[in-house]
Amino acid sequence: MKDSQKINIIGGGVAGLAAGIYGRLNGFDVTIFEMGQRTGGVCNSWEIAGYNVNGSIQWLVGSAPGIDFYKMWKELGVLDDMDFHYHDSFIEYKNIQGVDVHFYTDPNRLQQHLLSISPVDARLIGDLIHNIKLLSEANLTIGRAFDLLHAGNWTKVFTENIFGADVLEKYNHMSVRNFAKKFKSKIIKKAFENFWSPDMSMSFMLLQLSYAANRIAGYPIGGSGRFMEQLTKRYTDLGGKLVLGQKVTKILIEKNQAVGIQTEDSICHYSDYVISACDGTTVLLNLLEKNRADERTMDAYRTLETFPSLVYFSAGINRTFEEVDSSIIGLNIPLDRKLRVGNFKHQRVSFQIYNFDPTTSPLRKTLVTAILDSDYEYWKKLHDQGEKPYSKEKSRIGKELLKNLEREFPGISGQVDFIDIATPITYEKWTGNHNGSYKGWLPTPESTKTKISRHFPSLKRFYMAGHWVATGGGLPPAAYSGREAIQEICISEKILFEADTILK
Ligand SMILES: Cc1cc2nc3c(=O)[nH]c(=O)nc-3n(C[C@H](O)[C@H](O)[C@H](O)COP(=O)(O)OP(=O)(O)OC[C@H]3O[C@@H](n4cnc5c(N)ncnc54)[C@H](O)[C@@H]3O)c2cc1C
């Protein structure tokens, strides 16, 4: 078989590159077609005024041993020569009056701190810490596509992780907002609601806290750009082919079998298998013929909630910020007044102050970023009205954020090298993601119950990968789905999947 079976992959983000690397490790002839001028997709960095703006990774789950994803990143070659920074706090929640809440990554320290704020919540705090610890001891990822697991694998997964699995099952159906309501302390309640997205499932939040507790999720020095460089290098070093600046417009099908892709220049590129590793809605509605996906999957795409579209604020500041403790999400501060961003109103914002990564800025200067949830429709309308209103709105948001930073860091307004605002339109243009969403499906109690198909009985030799087929999104599930697509192809070729280190 070696090199005689050809795989075309649509999209050169983390999922496409991971599929490409495992494809090459298993001897396939692989070509990735990427519509952008560089690889990375959502996970990217860009240069402004001598700063290296990190556009994605805040942490990489699996940066250290203790979780299967670590072995996957080793296989993918991204950990070689990479330094990681481990934060002591998940988020620093600042109150103007009253007590600040520090979401320490060390569970014991977190427990003491929360108890010092609200002794009456001792029982709930105790439960929270107990569950974080239980999950920290479990390893809930598995080394094979779910469809490919046999009874022996399942037994191993459950017997090793029975307590962790119980915790996840219990909290899968509860949102963070509903969990927050249980606290008697208003300060803690509010802090939980602002931790991340309040509609997210509580089990997802517990998992994140357990990764932080285990120090298995670090920030790669050099950010998203450096991470993607490593991944791309591994792929091309293995002999993978990369076609940049070529948008795929169609998946070619003959006799219910994918036989290749067509690019926007109308050229057909034939292959034995096709893997789509780009926006799921585009694939199902535009690249495939109608009625290829099953009704349940189509329904999921119509009804499930996506991660919100983002406004991404970045600023280059001529200042060092030595006084700020680093944290995974950043310094969460209240705003003077509600800030309207599209149809969303923000009362608080988390600023990431990159005083822990010198590669993101010139000497003695600092990159500062903030992620603000917004909505695609608002920005689309504004953008359609022309460049002037669109730019004016971006500029208003930038100024408001700076004004609030001034309160925390007096003098900062005079130290600005640049301010840049990316909107859902920017994300859509760069990556093709539906409504500019940056992570696919939000892990809500509803979506965690829904199975989204990655291949369809009526279409052979076609597989889907990426954050649209892995609820909760993020780099590890996206990369893992690329790995799984190659595992499926190996099964259909009746060859042993290589680099299969995880369940051994
Ligand atoms: C601000 C921010 C912070 C984040 N923080 C984290 C974090 O801390 N940890 C974490 O794990 N994840 C994080 N993420 C999420 C993570 O970056 C994404 O989930 C992941 O990169 C998705 O990868 P993907 O390959 O599935 O999709 P994408 O990155 O969207 O890749 C799809 C690729 O397909 C290409 N493409 C689309 N359509 C076509 C076409 N028709 N033809 C050819 N090419 C096409 C696109 O250009 C793109 O390169 C963050 C994201 C953002 C924006």
Side-chain angles (χ1 to χ4, degrees):
M1 189 279 305
K2 299 271 168 193
D3 273 349
S4 61
Q5 295 282 299
K6 208 169 163 358
I7 304 176
N8 282 338
I9 297 175
I10 310 167
V14 67
L17 283 164
I21 291 167
Y22 286 113
R24 285 302 302 146
L25 287 172
N26 285 279
F28 293 95
D29 175 5
V30 186
T31 307
I32 293 177
F33 293 84
E34 165 54 51
M35 70 176 184
Q37 292 302 332
R38 57 181 173 181
T39 53
V42 174
C43 185
N44 243 310
S45 296
W46 52 92
E47 293 283 324
I48 305 182
Y51 290 78
N52 173 27
V53 180
N54 174 36
S56 167
I57 306 185
Q58 291 154 307
W59 69 346
L60 181 72
V61 175
S63 60
I67 184 165
D68 286 344
F69 287 137
Y70 171 74
K71 295 174 200 157
M72 176 184 75
W73 293 128
K74 289 286 276 183
E75 289 164 358
L76 292 172
V78 289
L79 302 183
D80 302 342
D81 305 322
M82 185 88 92
D83 293 325
F84 285 90
H85 174 80
Y86 292 90
H87 303 273
D88 288 333
S89 176
F90 206 103
I91 184 168
E92 292 283 308
Y93 184 86
K94 189 130 181 134
N95 283 310
I96 293 184
Q97 288 150 340
V99 198
D100 296 342
V101 183
H102 309 274
F103 276 90
Y104 293 118
T105 52
D106 173 353
N108 294 331
R109 197 173 171 201
L110 176 63
Q111 183 167 27
Q112 276 169 15
H113 176 62
L114 294 179
L115 281 174
S116 72
I117 299 173
S118 180
V120 287
D121 283 310
R123 184 183 252 188
L124 190 57
I125 293 167
D127 270 2
L128 173 80
I129 301 300
H130 176 68
N131 288 328
I132 295 172
K133 287 182 178 172
L134 274 183
L135 285 177
S136 308
E137 283 154 22
N139 180 357
L140 290 148
T141 52
I142 40 180
R144 250 162 245 194
F146 278 100
D147 304 357
L148 308 180
L149 285 171
H150 51 71
N153 301 140
W154 278 116
T155 310
K156 184 172 185 288
V157 168
F158 279 109
T159 48
E160 283 177 5
N161 301 301
I162 185 124
F163 298 115
D166 258 9
V167 174
L168 289 188
E169 174 58 27
K170 181 170 167 202
Y171 286 100
N172 251 349
H173 309 294
M174 188 186 294
S175 66
V176 174
R177 192 193 303 280
N178 284 341
F179 181 78
K181 279 186 191 150
K182 293 172 180 242
F183 285 101
K184 294 194 176 73
S185 154
K186 278 197 180 129
I187 294 175
I188 300 186
K189 197 181 294 216
K190 279 262 169 256
F192 265 80
E193 279 175 4
N194 283 280
F195 181 89
W196 216 330
S197 183
D199 294 324
M200 187 171 82
S201 158
M202 188 59 201
S203 60
F204 193 72
M205 177 173 176
L206 285 168
L207 261 184
Q208 310 299 304
L209 289 169
S210 77
Y211 296 153
N214 274 350
R215 293 179 100 71
I216 54 171
Y219 165 82
I221 297 297
S224 310
R226 170 103 174 92
F227 172 84
M228 282 321 292
E229 255 171 48
Q230 294 277 94
L231 203 60
T232 309
K233 182 173 180 310
R234 171 86 161 136
Y235 172 66
T236 50
D237 283 355
L238 284 167
K241 292 172 221 155
L242 186 57
V243 182
L244 294 173
Q246 280 281 13
K247 188 170 184 171
V248 174
T249 50
K250 196 174 179 185
I251 293 167
L252 303 170
I253 299 172
E254 284 172 16
K255 295 184 187 150
N256 293 329
Q257 201 158 289
V259 294
I261 50 123
Q262 186 174 341
T263 42
E264 59 189 339
D265 50 9
S266 300
I267 295 178
C268 296
H269 305 264
Y270 289 94
S271 58
D272 300 285
Y273 293 92
V274 173
I275 298 176
S276 74
C278 61
D279 176 54
T281 305
T282 305
V283 174
L284 298 189
L285 298 187
N286 301 339
L287 303 189
L288 284 175
E289 300 160 340
K290 270 196 183 131
N291 303 328
R292 284 293 169 183
D294 54 83
E295 202 35 51
R296 193 189 47 188
T297 298
M298 289 309 291
D299 204 40
Y301 274 83
R302 278 190 291 265
T303 55
L304 290 185
E305 196 180 339
T306 61
F307 272 94
S309 309
L310 294 185
V311 161
Y312 195 74
F313 164 90
S314 58
I317 307 292
N318 188 357
R319 174 182 190 141
T320 54
F321 296 97
E322 270 138 18
E323 71 281 21
V324 178
D325 288 336
S326 80
S327 68
I328 294 164
I329 304 287
L331 180 68
N332 184 282
I333 62 168
L335 303 180
D336 288 344
R337 54 180 178 162
K338 281 185 189 164
L339 173 63
R340 191 176 42 76
V341 184
N343 292 314
F344 281 54
K345 288 198 176 114
H346 292 267
Q347 283 177 310
R348 307 186 60 98
V349 171
S350 295
F351 288 96
Q352 186 54 280
I353 295 170
Y354 282 84
N355 53 4
F356 51 89
D357 184 356
T359 71
T360 55
S361 59
L363 200 62
R364 304 204 58 74
K365 297 186 172 194
T366 313
L367 172 71
V368 175
T369 64
I371 298 173
L372 291 107
D373 289 357
S374 190
D375 51 331
Y376 172 79
E377 288 306 328
Y378 173 87
W379 289 98
K380 172 84 176 108
K381 234 188 231 166
L382 201 63
H383 189 256
D384 288 349
Q385 284 167 19
E387 187 52 37
K388 218 170 167 189
Y390 178 68
S391 298
K392 199 170 153 203
E393 185 60 357
K394 291 204 297 181
S395 164
R396 179 187 69 82
I397 292 169
K399 281 186 190 142
E400 278 288 315
L401 291 175
L402 187 62
K403 206 170 78 193
N404 281 281
L405 279 170
E406 180 68 39
R407 196 192 60 228
E408 280 301 313
F409 305 105
I412 196 172
S413 304
Q415 297 166 326
V416 176
D417 283 338
F418 79 89
I419 288 186
D420 183 59
I421 302 276
T423 73
I425 304 300
T426 324
Y427 282 102
E428 184 189 45
K429 199 162 122 193
W430 283 356
T431 69
N433 274 296
H434 182 60
N435 288 355
S437 172
Y438 73 110
K439 244 184 173 190
W441 309 114
L442 194 69
T444 59
E446 182 59 33
S447 68
T448 44
K449 281 188 288 189
T450 310
K451 191 167 184 260
I452 295 169
S453 301
R454 299 167 178 213
H455 46 88
F456 310 107
S458 69
L459 182 57
K460 304 231 171 330
R461 296 182 169 246
F462 170 74
Y463 300 91
M464 291 176 81
H467 56 184
W468 291 101
V469 294
T471 300
L475 298 158
Y480 202 78
S481 68
R483 190 181 195 272
E484 287 178 325
I486 298 299
Q487 283 178 302
E488 300 265 11
I489 291 176
C490 286
I491 298 258
S492 95
E493 285 294 315
K494 298 192 174 50
I495 59 169
L496 199 63
F497 176 75
E498 286 184 30
D500 194 359
T501 52
I502 290 178
L503 281 183
K504 280 179 187 165

Short mmCIF file of all heavy atoms in Angstrom, two decimals, residues 137-182:
data_model
loop_
_atom_site.label_atom_id
_atom_site.label_comp_id
_atom_site.label_asym_id
_atom_site.label_seq_id
_atom_site.Cartn_x
_atom_site.Cartn_y
_atom_site.Cartn_z
N GLU A 137 -6.99 12.74 39.27
CA GLU A 137 -6.41 11.39 39.34
C GLU A 137 -6.82 10.52 38.17
O GLU A 137 -6.24 9.48 37.91
CB GLU A 137 -6.84 10.71 40.65
CG GLU A 137 -6.07 11.23 41.84
CD GLU A 137 -6.83 11.09 43.16
OE1 GLU A 137 -7.75 10.24 43.21
OE2 GLU A 137 -6.51 11.84 44.09
N ALA A 138 -7.85 10.94 37.44
CA ALA A 138 -8.34 10.11 36.32
C ALA A 138 -7.63 10.49 35.02
O ALA A 138 -7.01 11.53 34.92
CB ALA A 138 -9.84 10.34 36.17
N ASN A 139 -7.70 9.60 34.07
CA ASN A 139 -7.19 9.92 32.73
C ASN A 139 -8.30 9.55 31.77
O ASN A 139 -8.44 8.40 31.39
CB ASN A 139 -5.91 9.14 32.44
CG ASN A 139 -5.40 9.47 31.06
OD1 ASN A 139 -6.03 10.24 30.32
ND2 ASN A 139 -4.27 8.90 30.70
N LEU A 140 -9.11 10.53 31.41
CA LEU A 140 -10.36 10.20 30.72
C LEU A 140 -10.27 10.23 29.21
O LEU A 140 -11.26 10.10 28.52
CB LEU A 140 -11.46 11.14 31.22
CG LEU A 140 -11.80 10.81 32.66
CD1 LEU A 140 -12.22 12.04 33.42
CD2 LEU A 140 -12.88 9.75 32.73
N THR A 141 -9.10 10.43 28.68
CA THR A 141 -9.00 10.35 27.21
C THR A 141 -8.60 8.94 26.83
O THR A 141 -8.01 8.22 27.62
CB THR A 141 -7.98 11.33 26.67
OG1 THR A 141 -6.77 11.13 27.37
CG2 THR A 141 -8.44 12.75 26.83
N ILE A 142 -8.95 8.56 25.62
CA ILE A 142 -8.66 7.20 25.19
C ILE A 142 -8.00 7.21 23.82
O ILE A 142 -8.13 8.18 23.09
CB ILE A 142 -9.94 6.35 25.17
CG1 ILE A 142 -11.09 7.20 24.62
CG2 ILE A 142 -10.28 5.81 26.52
CD1 ILE A 142 -12.38 6.46 24.56
N GLY A 143 -7.32 6.13 23.53
CA GLY A 143 -6.44 6.16 22.38
C GLY A 143 -7.02 5.70 21.07
O GLY A 143 -6.29 5.49 20.11
N ARG A 144 -8.29 5.53 20.97
CA ARG A 144 -8.86 5.08 19.71
C ARG A 144 -10.18 5.77 19.43
O ARG A 144 -10.85 6.21 20.37
CB ARG A 144 -9.12 3.58 19.79
CG ARG A 144 -8.16 2.82 18.89
CD ARG A 144 -8.11 1.39 19.26
NE ARG A 144 -6.76 1.13 19.74
CZ ARG A 144 -6.28 -0.06 19.91
NH1 ARG A 144 -7.02 -1.12 19.67
NH2 ARG A 144 -5.05 -0.23 20.32
N ALA A 145 -10.55 5.82 18.19
CA ALA A 145 -11.86 6.37 17.88
C ALA A 145 -12.91 5.57 18.65
O ALA A 145 -12.78 4.35 18.79
CB ALA A 145 -12.12 6.26 16.39
N PHE A 146 -13.95 6.23 19.17
CA PHE A 146 -14.97 5.54 19.95
C PHE A 146 -15.51 4.34 19.19
O PHE A 146 -15.69 3.26 19.73
CB PHE A 146 -16.13 6.48 20.28
CG PHE A 146 -15.84 7.35 21.47
CD1 PHE A 146 -15.43 8.66 21.29
CD2 PHE A 146 -15.94 6.85 22.75
CE1 PHE A 146 -15.14 9.45 22.39
CE2 PHE A 146 -15.65 7.65 23.86
CZ PHE A 146 -15.25 8.95 23.67
N ASP A 147 -15.76 4.55 17.88
CA ASP A 147 -16.35 3.49 17.07
C ASP A 147 -15.44 2.26 17.00
O ASP A 147 -15.88 1.17 16.69
CB ASP A 147 -16.56 3.97 15.63
CG ASP A 147 -17.41 5.22 15.58
OD1 ASP A 147 -17.86 5.65 16.65
OD2 ASP A 147 -17.62 5.75 14.48
N LEU A 148 -14.14 2.47 17.26
CA LEU A 148 -13.21 1.36 17.07
C LEU A 148 -12.86 0.63 18.37
O LEU A 148 -12.13 -0.33 18.36
CB LEU A 148 -11.89 1.89 16.47
CG LEU A 148 -12.01 2.76 15.23
CD1 LEU A 148 -10.63 3.20 14.77
CD2 LEU A 148 -12.69 1.99 14.11
N LEU A 149 -13.38 1.13 19.49
CA LEU A 149 -13.04 0.49 20.76
C LEU A 149 -13.72 -0.87 20.88
O LEU A 149 -14.88 -1.01 20.52
CB LEU A 149 -13.51 1.36 21.93
CG LEU A 149 -12.68 2.60 22.22
CD1 LEU A 149 -13.39 3.47 23.24
CD2 LEU A 149 -11.30 2.23 22.71
N HIS A 150 -12.99 -1.85 21.39
CA HIS A 150 -13.63 -3.13 21.65
C HIS A 150 -13.83 -3.27 23.16
O HIS A 150 -13.35 -2.42 23.94
CB HIS A 150 -12.83 -4.29 21.06
CG HIS A 150 -11.39 -4.27 21.44
ND1 HIS A 150 -10.96 -4.55 22.71
CD2 HIS A 150 -10.28 -3.98 20.71
CE1 HIS A 150 -9.64 -4.46 22.74
NE2 HIS A 150 -9.20 -4.09 21.57
N ALA A 151 -14.53 -4.31 23.56
CA ALA A 151 -14.94 -4.45 24.97
C ALA A 151 -13.76 -4.29 25.93
O ALA A 151 -13.87 -3.63 26.96
CB ALA A 151 -15.62 -5.79 25.16
N GLY A 152 -12.62 -4.87 25.59
CA GLY A 152 -11.45 -4.82 26.47
C GLY A 152 -11.01 -3.38 26.72
O GLY A 152 -10.67 -2.99 27.84
N ASN A 153 -11.03 -2.56 25.67
CA ASN A 153 -10.63 -1.16 25.81
C ASN A 153 -11.57 -0.44 26.77
O ASN A 153 -11.14 0.29 27.65
CB ASN A 153 -10.68 -0.43 24.47
CG ASN A 153 -9.79 -1.04 23.41
OD1 ASN A 153 -10.17 -1.13 22.27
ND2 ASN A 153 -8.61 -1.49 23.82
N TRP A 154 -12.87 -0.66 26.57
CA TRP A 154 -13.86 0.03 27.40
C TRP A 154 -13.69 -0.35 28.86
O TRP A 154 -13.74 0.50 29.75
CB TRP A 154 -15.29 -0.31 26.95
CG TRP A 154 -15.73 0.50 25.78
CD1 TRP A 154 -16.05 0.05 24.54
CD2 TRP A 154 -15.91 1.91 25.74
NE1 TRP A 154 -16.40 1.09 23.72
CE2 TRP A 154 -16.33 2.25 24.44
CE3 TRP A 154 -15.75 2.94 26.67
CZ2 TRP A 154 -16.58 3.55 24.04
CZ3 TRP A 154 -16.00 4.24 26.28
CH2 TRP A 154 -16.42 4.53 24.98
N THR A 155 -13.48 -1.64 29.11
CA THR A 155 -13.31 -2.10 30.49
C THR A 155 -12.14 -1.35 31.13
O THR A 155 -12.22 -0.85 32.25
CB THR A 155 -13.04 -3.62 30.51
OG1 THR A 155 -14.04 -4.20 29.70
CG2 THR A 155 -13.11 -4.20 31.90
N LYS A 156 -11.04 -1.24 30.37
CA LYS A 156 -9.84 -0.58 30.90
C LYS A 156 -10.15 0.89 31.23
O LYS A 156 -9.84 1.37 32.31
CB LYS A 156 -8.73 -0.68 29.85
CG LYS A 156 -7.39 -0.13 30.29
CD LYS A 156 -6.32 -0.47 29.24
CE LYS A 156 -4.93 -0.05 29.68
NZ LYS A 156 -4.72 1.38 29.67
N VAL A 157 -10.79 1.57 30.29
CA VAL A 157 -11.10 2.99 30.48
C VAL A 157 -11.93 3.19 31.74
O VAL A 157 -11.63 4.03 32.59
CB VAL A 157 -11.86 3.55 29.25
CG1 VAL A 157 -12.44 4.93 29.56
CG2 VAL A 157 -10.93 3.63 28.06
N PHE A 158 -12.99 2.35 31.91
CA PHE A 158 -13.89 2.57 33.04
C PHE A 158 -13.30 2.12 34.37
O PHE A 158 -13.44 2.81 35.37
CB PHE A 158 -15.25 1.94 32.79
CG PHE A 158 -16.08 2.83 31.92
CD1 PHE A 158 -16.36 2.49 30.62
CD2 PHE A 158 -16.53 4.05 32.40
CE1 PHE A 158 -17.08 3.35 29.81
CE2 PHE A 158 -17.25 4.92 31.60
CZ PHE A 158 -17.53 4.56 30.30
N THR A 159 -12.59 0.98 34.37
CA THR A 159 -12.05 0.54 35.67
C THR A 159 -10.98 1.50 36.16
O THR A 159 -10.86 1.76 37.34
CB THR A 159 -11.47 -0.88 35.61
OG1 THR A 159 -10.63 -0.95 34.47
CG2 THR A 159 -12.55 -1.94 35.56
N GLU A 160 -10.22 2.10 35.24
CA GLU A 160 -9.17 3.02 35.68
C GLU A 160 -9.74 4.37 36.11
O GLU A 160 -9.09 5.13 36.80
CB GLU A 160 -8.15 3.23 34.55
CG GLU A 160 -7.21 2.06 34.43
CD GLU A 160 -6.23 2.23 33.27
OE1 GLU A 160 -6.23 3.28 32.63
OE2 GLU A 160 -5.49 1.27 33.02
N ASN A 161 -10.93 4.70 35.63
CA ASN A 161 -11.42 6.07 35.83
C ASN A 161 -12.81 6.14 36.44
O ASN A 161 -13.51 7.13 36.24
CB ASN A 161 -11.46 6.80 34.48
CG ASN A 161 -10.09 6.84 33.85
OD1 ASN A 161 -9.16 7.37 34.43
ND2 ASN A 161 -9.97 6.25 32.69
N ILE A 162 -13.15 5.09 37.20
CA ILE A 162 -14.55 5.00 37.62
C ILE A 162 -15.03 6.23 38.39
O ILE A 162 -16.10 6.76 38.15
CB ILE A 162 -14.78 3.69 38.41
CG1 ILE A 162 -16.26 3.51 38.75
CG2 ILE A 162 -14.00 3.58 39.67
CD1 ILE A 162 -16.79 2.21 38.22
N PHE A 163 -14.16 6.77 39.31
CA PHE A 163 -14.61 7.90 40.13
C PHE A 163 -14.70 9.17 39.29
O PHE A 163 -15.64 9.95 39.39
CB PHE A 163 -13.69 8.10 41.33
CG PHE A 163 -13.71 6.90 42.24
CD1 PHE A 163 -12.58 6.12 42.42
CD2 PHE A 163 -14.88 6.53 42.90
CE1 PHE A 163 -12.60 5.01 43.24
CE2 PHE A 163 -14.91 5.42 43.72
CZ PHE A 163 -13.77 4.65 43.89
N GLY A 164 -13.71 9.36 38.42
CA GLY A 164 -13.72 10.53 37.53
C GLY A 164 -14.94 10.49 36.62
O GLY A 164 -15.62 11.50 36.42
N ALA A 165 -15.24 9.31 36.07
CA ALA A 165 -16.38 9.17 35.16
C ALA A 165 -17.68 9.53 35.89
O ALA A 165 -18.57 10.17 35.34
CB ALA A 165 -16.44 7.75 34.60
N ASP A 166 -17.76 9.13 37.18
CA ASP A 166 -18.94 9.45 38.00
C ASP A 166 -19.14 10.96 38.14
O ASP A 166 -20.25 11.47 38.02
CB ASP A 166 -18.72 8.90 39.42
CG ASP A 166 -19.49 7.63 39.62
OD1 ASP A 166 -20.02 7.12 38.63
OD2 ASP A 166 -19.54 7.17 40.77
N VAL A 167 -18.03 11.67 38.40
CA VAL A 167 -18.09 13.13 38.58
C VAL A 167 -18.60 13.77 37.28
O VAL A 167 -19.49 14.63 37.30
CB VAL A 167 -16.70 13.71 38.93
CG1 VAL A 167 -16.74 15.23 38.96
CG2 VAL A 167 -16.21 13.17 40.26
N LEU A 168 -18.04 13.33 36.17
CA LEU A 168 -18.44 13.93 34.88
C LEU A 168 -19.91 13.68 34.62
O LEU A 168 -20.63 14.57 34.19
CB LEU A 168 -17.59 13.36 33.74
CG LEU A 168 -16.14 13.82 33.73
CD1 LEU A 168 -15.47 13.36 32.45
CD2 LEU A 168 -16.04 15.34 33.84
N GLU A 169 -20.33 12.46 34.89
CA GLU A 169 -21.74 12.10 34.66
C GLU A 169 -22.65 13.01 35.50
O GLU A 169 -23.63 13.56 35.01
CB GLU A 169 -21.92 10.62 35.02
CG GLU A 169 -23.34 10.09 34.99
CD GLU A 169 -24.00 10.25 33.63
OE1 GLU A 169 -23.29 10.28 32.61
OE2 GLU A 169 -25.26 10.37 33.60
N LYS A 170 -22.26 13.22 36.77
CA LYS A 170 -23.09 14.01 37.68
C LYS A 170 -23.20 15.46 37.22
O LYS A 170 -24.27 16.07 37.28
CB LYS A 170 -22.48 13.94 39.09
CG LYS A 170 -23.26 14.70 40.11
CD LYS A 170 -22.75 14.41 41.52
CE LYS A 170 -23.33 15.44 42.48
NZ LYS A 170 -22.55 15.56 43.68
N TYR A 171 -22.07 16.04 36.75
CA TYR A 171 -22.06 17.48 36.45
C TYR A 171 -22.30 17.80 34.97
O TYR A 171 -22.41 18.96 34.61
CB TYR A 171 -20.76 18.12 36.93
CG TYR A 171 -20.75 18.26 38.43
CD1 TYR A 171 -20.07 17.35 39.24
CD2 TYR A 171 -21.47 19.27 39.04
CE1 TYR A 171 -20.09 17.46 40.62
CE2 TYR A 171 -21.50 19.39 40.42
CZ TYR A 171 -20.81 18.48 41.20
OH TYR A 171 -20.85 18.61 42.57
N ASN A 172 -22.37 16.78 34.13
CA ASN A 172 -22.63 17.00 32.70
C ASN A 172 -23.89 17.80 32.48
O ASN A 172 -23.99 18.60 31.56
CB ASN A 172 -22.81 15.65 32.00
CG ASN A 172 -21.62 15.35 31.12
OD1 ASN A 172 -20.79 16.22 30.89
ND2 ASN A 172 -21.54 14.12 30.65
N HIS A 173 -24.88 17.56 33.35
CA HIS A 173 -26.20 18.14 33.11
C HIS A 173 -26.42 19.45 33.87
O HIS A 173 -27.52 19.94 33.94
CB HIS A 173 -27.29 17.11 33.50
CG HIS A 173 -27.04 15.80 32.84
ND1 HIS A 173 -27.11 15.65 31.48
CD2 HIS A 173 -26.65 14.60 33.34
CE1 HIS A 173 -26.79 14.40 31.17
NE2 HIS A 173 -26.51 13.74 32.28
N MET A 174 -25.37 19.97 34.47
CA MET A 174 -25.52 21.23 35.23
C MET A 174 -24.66 22.31 34.59
O MET A 174 -23.49 22.08 34.27
CB MET A 174 -25.06 20.99 36.67
CG MET A 174 -25.35 22.17 37.57
SD MET A 174 -24.64 21.93 39.19
CE MET A 174 -25.58 20.55 39.79
N SER A 175 -25.23 23.49 34.38
CA SER A 175 -24.43 24.58 33.81
C SER A 175 -23.64 25.26 34.94
O SER A 175 -23.99 25.13 36.13
CB SER A 175 -25.33 25.60 33.12
OG SER A 175 -26.13 26.24 34.08
N VAL A 176 -22.58 25.98 34.56
CA VAL A 176 -21.78 26.71 35.55
C VAL A 176 -22.68 27.72 36.27
O VAL A 176 -22.58 27.90 37.48
CB VAL A 176 -20.59 27.42 34.87
CG1 VAL A 176 -19.84 28.29 35.85
CG2 VAL A 176 -19.65 26.39 34.25
N ARG A 177 -23.58 28.35 35.52
CA ARG A 177 -24.49 29.34 36.11
C ARG A 177 -25.31 28.71 37.25
O ARG A 177 -25.42 29.26 38.34
CB ARG A 177 -25.44 29.84 35.02
CG ARG A 177 -26.24 31.07 35.41
CD ARG A 177 -27.38 31.30 34.43
NE ARG A 177 -26.97 31.46 33.05
CZ ARG A 177 -26.49 32.59 32.52
NH1 ARG A 177 -26.37 33.65 33.27
NH2 ARG A 177 -26.13 32.65 31.25
N ASN A 178 -25.85 27.51 37.00
CA ASN A 178 -26.66 26.86 38.03
C ASN A 178 -25.82 26.41 39.22
O ASN A 178 -26.29 26.42 40.35
CB ASN A 178 -27.44 25.68 37.42
CG ASN A 178 -28.61 26.20 36.61
OD1 ASN A 178 -29.03 27.35 36.79
ND2 ASN A 178 -29.12 25.40 35.70
N PHE A 179 -24.59 26.00 38.93
CA PHE A 179 -23.71 25.64 40.04
C PHE A 179 -23.42 26.88 40.89
O PHE A 179 -23.47 26.83 42.12
CB PHE A 179 -22.40 25.03 39.51
CG PHE A 179 -21.46 24.63 40.59
CD1 PHE A 179 -21.67 23.44 41.30
CD2 PHE A 179 -20.37 25.43 40.95
CE1 PHE A 179 -20.81 23.07 42.34
CE2 PHE A 179 -19.52 25.06 41.99
CZ PHE A 179 -19.73 23.88 42.67
N ALA A 180 -23.15 28.00 40.20
CA ALA A 180 -22.81 29.25 40.91
C ALA A 180 -23.92 29.66 41.87
O ALA A 180 -23.66 30.17 42.97
CB ALA A 180 -22.54 30.36 39.90
N LYS A 181 -25.17 29.40 41.46
CA LYS A 181 -26.32 29.81 42.29
C LYS A 181 -26.30 29.16 43.67
O LYS A 181 -26.93 29.64 44.60
CB LYS A 181 -27.62 29.39 41.59
CG LYS A 181 -28.05 30.36 40.51
CD LYS A 181 -29.40 29.97 39.96
CE LYS A 181 -29.68 30.78 38.69
NZ LYS A 181 -30.53 30.06 37.76
N LYS A 182 -25.59 28.05 43.80
CA LYS A 182 -25.60 27.32 45.08
C LYS A 182 -24.78 28.04 46.16
O LYS A 182 -24.93 27.75 47.34
CB LYS A 182 -24.99 25.93 44.89
CG LYS A 182 -25.84 25.02 44.02
CD LYS A 182 -25.05 23.75 43.76
CE LYS A 182 -25.82 22.80 42.90
NZ LYS A 182 -26.09 21.54 43.56
#
